[in-house]
């Protein structure tokens, strides 16, 4: 029985051919992967995750801190402020610099207002609309709106004094009076006509 021996130069040549083939396949694979990634479709539109929650914290002097959370990371964020009744633009459009943080539910972008000396002051007892804009493909912008609420004191004594606010008590007393008169009239009418009157249940 004979064994076939391969000379050292032959084995070296075969090893060189195999190595060259592997390197060539790797070189060819790199442009293909890059081409596939370049042709992948763009991501879906960004959504505002906390749109149904209070994302703006108002301060007693009218300033605020906004903490919008978006479903994905964005390249840049713009904002401006409008009047809630007239829709009038009260500020220029500003760009948010930094303040991004990765959360389990998305990306939070925190910014303060005012951040510049030329930004106008906001009355603390007046609500406003905060417009948030995120750039999209084709030069368009995806726009979101959030409420800049009236400042609400959080201290214990602030809450006590707020509960004793004469205007609040006047509104509550007026509501009680209206409800009482409405109930009395409903009872009188039902007693006279002996029939049930619609909306007498306090609705």
């Amino acid at each position: 029985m004979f064994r076939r021996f391969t000379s050292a130069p032959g084995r070296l040549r075969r090893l060189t051919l195999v190595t060259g083939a592997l390197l060539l396949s790797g070189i060819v694979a790199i442009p293909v992967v890059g081409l596939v990634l370049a042709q992948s479709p763009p991501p879906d539109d960004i959504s505002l995750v906390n749109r149904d929650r209070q994302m703006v914290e108002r301060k007693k002097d009218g300033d605020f801190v906004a903490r919008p959370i978006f479903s994905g990371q964005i390249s840049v964020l713009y904002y401006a402020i409008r009047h809630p009744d007239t829709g009038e633009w009260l500020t220029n459009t500003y760009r948010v610099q930094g303040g991004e943080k990765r959360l389990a539910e998305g990306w939070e972008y925190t910014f303060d207002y005012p951040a510049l000396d030329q930004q106008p002051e906001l009355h603390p007892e007046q609500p406003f609309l905060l417009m948030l804009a995120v750039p999209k493909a084709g030069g368009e912008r995806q726009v979101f709106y959030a409420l800049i609420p009236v400042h609400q004191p959080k201290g214990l004594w602030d809450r006590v004094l707020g509960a004793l606010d004469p205007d609040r008590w006047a509104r509550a007393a007026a509501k009680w009076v209206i409800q009482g008169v409405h109930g009395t009239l409903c009872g009188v009418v039902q007693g006279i006509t002996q029939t049930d009157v619609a909306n007498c249940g306090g609705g």
Side-chain angles (χ1 to χ4, degrees):
M1 188 172 182
F2 296 97
R3 293 184 180 177
R4 184 176 180 181
F5 294 92
T6 305
S7 63
R11 282 184 294 178
L12 182 59
R13 185 170 54 254
R14 184 176 299 175
L15 181 60
T16 304
L17 290 174
V18 172
T19 305
L22 291 175
L23 289 175
L24 182 61
S25 64
I27 294 173
V28 172
I30 292 173
V32 172
V33 172
L35 182 62
V36 171
L37 292 177
Q39 292 180 347
S40 59
D44 295 334
D45 289 344
I46 293 293
S47 61
L48 189 58
V49 176
N50 56 345
R51 64 182 182 279
D52 298 329
R53 287 174 268 163
Q54 185 59 55
M55 71 180 73
V56 181
E57 178 185 353
R58 195 75 182 274
K59 300 179 181 180
K60 63 180 180 179
D61 52 0
D63 302 353
F64 67 84
V65 179
R67 298 182 179 88
I69 302 175
F70 295 95
S71 58
Q73 189 175 15
I74 57 179
S75 58
V76 63
L77 174 63
Y78 299 97
Y79 75 92
I81 299 173
R82 306 183 72 170
H83 193 281
D85 298 326
T86 64
E88 175 188 0
W89 293 102
L90 303 178
T91 67
N92 296 325
T93 300
Y94 304 102
R95 176 176 178 174
V96 176
Q97 299 285 350
E100 65 182 49
K101 181 170 60 176
R102 183 73 168 94
L103 304 176
E105 55 184 342
W107 286 84
E108 179 182 279
Y109 292 81
T110 303
F111 61 92
D112 297 281
Y113 182 93
L116 304 173
D117 293 337
Q118 63 267 28
Q119 290 178 322
E121 296 181 357
L122 301 177
H123 196 287
E125 297 182 2
Q126 168 70 49
F128 299 94
L129 285 178
L130 176 64
M131 184 276 296
L132 302 169
V134 178
K136 294 176 58 178
E140 299 180 356
R141 291 185 180 182
Q142 191 170 352
V143 177
F144 307 91
Y145 279 97
L147 175 67
I148 303 175
V150 175
H151 170 67
Q152 296 290 339
K154 296 182 179 180
L156 177 60
W157 284 112
D158 291 327
R159 295 179 182 178
V160 172
L161 293 175
L164 297 177
D165 182 11
D167 292 337
R168 182 177 299 181
W169 278 99
R171 290 193 297 270
K175 181 178 180 180
W176 294 339
V177 170
I178 292 172
Q179 288 179 343
V181 172
H182 180 266
T184 302
L185 289 177
C186 280
V188 172
V189 172
Q190 287 179 351
I192 295 174
T193 61
Q194 298 299 316
T195 58
D196 292 334
V197 178
N199 296 328
C200 263

